[in-house]
Amino acid sequence: MSRATMTTPLPPLVPARLSGRDVVRTGLGGLRARPARVVLSALGIAIGIATMVAVIGISSSSKEDLMRRLDRLGTNLLTAKPGSTLFGEEARLPESAPAMVARIGPVTEVGALGTIETTVRRTDRIPDEITHGISVQAASTGLLATLDVPVRHGAWLNPATARYPGVVLGAEAARRLGFDRAGGRVWIGGRWFTVLGVLGPAELAPEVDRSALVGWEAAGTYLGFDGHPTTVYERSADDAVEDVRAVLGRTINPQNPEEVEVSRPSDALEARAAAAGAFTNLLLGLGAVALLVGGVGVANTMVISVLERRREIGLRRSLGATRGQVRVQFLAESLLLSALGGAAGIVLGTAVTVAFALYRGWPPVVPLWALGGALAATLAIGTMAGLYPAMRAARLAPTVALASV
């Protein structure tokens, strides 16, 4: 053998590269060695993610229900009520207010209520002081179509029955008086009135739910109603709502339009949706805190894992594993641990959302961006929680790691 052959330098040693599959298998191997600790650590992540997904899902389901109700009920309903005079006294709407509103071009439906100072009772034996919180109101025949309120049983007032002592009960008034169907009589203003019908819920006019509604003409004949409406309701074309709103006060009371208060009942539902969104942000903050606590638990688990596995780290380094490979191994374990908790949290949060929405009769809605955000938050927490333990494991020298066992 020649001297040249004996002195040929050996090629430099190149550490083997870890494929993505190898990284996952190594990370799963580390997790399988400590299943109880893994489950408890993942539980913290799962609770945080489940809270965030459920909060967003329940809020979205509630908003979707509100939006569907708004689409069904419409946002083109306006109400006009008496405001205050310049002297601070309560103003009155003119008797001609409903007829004047009906003359506005884009207006399609008009209805009116007029409060009557009397009580309604199941029998004449009940004292006048016991009213059950039910008001008696004169109602125009166009009220039901304007408010789009269903008749649960019986019939609504018509031009014939509106002249005689008959009454239609709102949903809450019927419940308090013990009526679930038409028929029977109630005592109003010193005489008997026949119950002609029972209404369903009036979502845009809750005052109707707590009222006993008498025909406009009958209220004047039998109960001394003065004919001045206390609330005028109107519906118009969707694209003309703001224009009608601008002229409604001047149309009802041309001399003193400032004494007329105009509002849109659908604004209350939209405000409720906005308030629910603000409350959702608060609950999301609580979910983020729970997720942060879960991340601290994962970091603690990984730090303890590094301390307990010094011999394994030293052995791998002695066999040629680089610092980067050790770092990737422990970072992969942290990410897999967080992903396990995140997946469980997404499933749990979605299940809670669906169950709660179905219980409340809402359409279940879990936005895709919420699931994507939950996954991104899980990976971010896993990265932050595993970065320090991975760097600490990579800094261990093989001889020190083996000698410390």
Side-chain angles (χ1 to χ4, degrees):
M1 184 178 295
S2 65
R3 184 179 299 274
T5 303
M6 294 293 294
T7 59
T8 301
L10 295 175
L13 295 177
V14 179
R17 297 176 61 87
L18 288 177
S19 65
R21 183 178 179 182
D22 293 332
V23 171
V24 173
R25 290 178 59 187
T26 305
L28 289 176
L31 296 182
R32 283 196 298 265
R34 299 162 182 82
R37 186 183 300 169
V38 166
V39 170
L40 292 176
S41 299
L43 184 61
I45 297 289
I47 291 174
I49 292 296
T51 301
M52 298 178 73
V53 171
V55 165
I56 295 174
I58 291 174
S59 175
S60 299
S61 301
S62 174
K63 288 182 179 179
E64 179 65 21
D65 179 66
L66 282 174
M67 293 303 105
R68 290 188 182 185
R69 287 166 59 190
L70 280 172
D71 290 340
R72 185 180 73 252
L73 298 171
T75 59
N76 59 344
L77 177 68
L78 296 178
T79 66
K81 296 183 179 181
S84 300
T85 65
L86 295 176
F87 304 101
E89 300 175 352
E90 184 177 356
R92 301 177 74 187
L93 298 181
E95 294 183 42
S96 60
M100 295 295 290
V101 172
R103 295 178 185 176
I104 301 175
V107 172
T108 57
E109 301 284 350
V110 177
L113 287 178
T115 301
I116 305 171
E117 296 298 331
T118 188
T119 60
V120 54
R121 290 167 288 159
R122 185 65 187 262
T123 73
D124 56 349
R125 307 280 181 173
I126 299 175
D128 293 342
E129 295 78 15
I130 301 177
T131 64
H132 298 290
I134 303 171
S135 61
V136 179
Q137 302 204 60
S140 66
T141 54
L143 180 69
L144 200 68
T146 305
L147 296 180
D148 194 20
V149 180
V151 178
R152 198 169 64 201
H153 193 269
W156 174 243
L157 300 167
N158 57 49
T161 57
R163 294 180 294 170
Y164 296 100
V167 63
V168 176
L169 301 177
E172 183 61 21
R175 187 189 68 80
R176 295 181 185 181
L177 290 171
F179 284 89
D180 58 356
R181 57 194 304 116
R185 299 184 301 173
V186 291
W187 186 258
I188 303 176
R191 66 176 302 132
W192 292 105
F193 278 68
T194 302
V195 178
L196 302 175
V198 175
L199 301 180
E203 297 187 72
L204 291 181
E207 61 273 13
V208 172
D209 289 340
R210 302 183 297 272
S211 298
L213 306 170
V214 180
W216 205 268
E217 295 83 356
T221 303
Y222 302 106
L223 301 175
F225 175 54
D226 60 7
H228 288 273
T230 51
T231 308
V232 177
Y233 306 89
E234 69 80 29
R235 282 192 187 271
S236 55
D238 291 336
D239 57 355
V241 172
E242 293 304 323
D243 294 334
V244 173
R245 191 173 191 171
V247 301
L248 195 57
R250 294 197 298 272
T251 302
I252 292 175
N253 192 343
Q255 295 180 340
N256 300 292
E258 71 280 355
E259 295 181 0
V260 181
E261 293 184 356
V262 179
S263 62
R264 183 158 58 175
S266 59
D267 290 343
L269 288 178
E270 293 175 350
R272 193 188 308 173
F279 188 63
T280 298
N281 293 335
L282 174 61
L283 293 179
L284 274 179
L286 297 178
V289 171
L291 183 60
L292 181 60
V293 172
V296 173
V298 171
N300 183 58
T301 297
M302 296 306 301
V303 169
I304 294 175
S305 179
V306 170
L307 295 176
E308 292 178 344
R309 296 162 64 185
R310 286 188 174 185
R311 184 175 182 179
E312 174 192 337
I313 296 170
L315 184 59
R316 289 201 63 207
R317 291 296 312 281
S318 299
L319 294 176
T322 64
R323 293 178 181 270
Q325 291 173 344
V326 173
R327 188 184 303 113
V328 168
Q329 174 191 351
F330 282 89
L331 192 57
E333 287 187 24
S334 177
L335 286 172
L336 289 172
L337 178 56
S338 297
L340 177 65
I346 289 174
V347 172
L348 180 60
T350 302
V352 169
T353 298
V354 172
F356 188 80
L358 293 178
Y359 170 74
R360 295 296 301 270
W362 298 342
V365 177
V366 180
L368 292 178
W369 64 264
L371 300 181
L375 180 60
T378 298
L379 296 178
I381 287 293
T383 301
M384 291 187 293
L387 194 57
Y388 170 72
M391 294 177 63
R392 180 169 181 173
R395 285 198 300 265
L396 288 175
T399 54
V400 175
L402 291 173
S404 60
V405 178

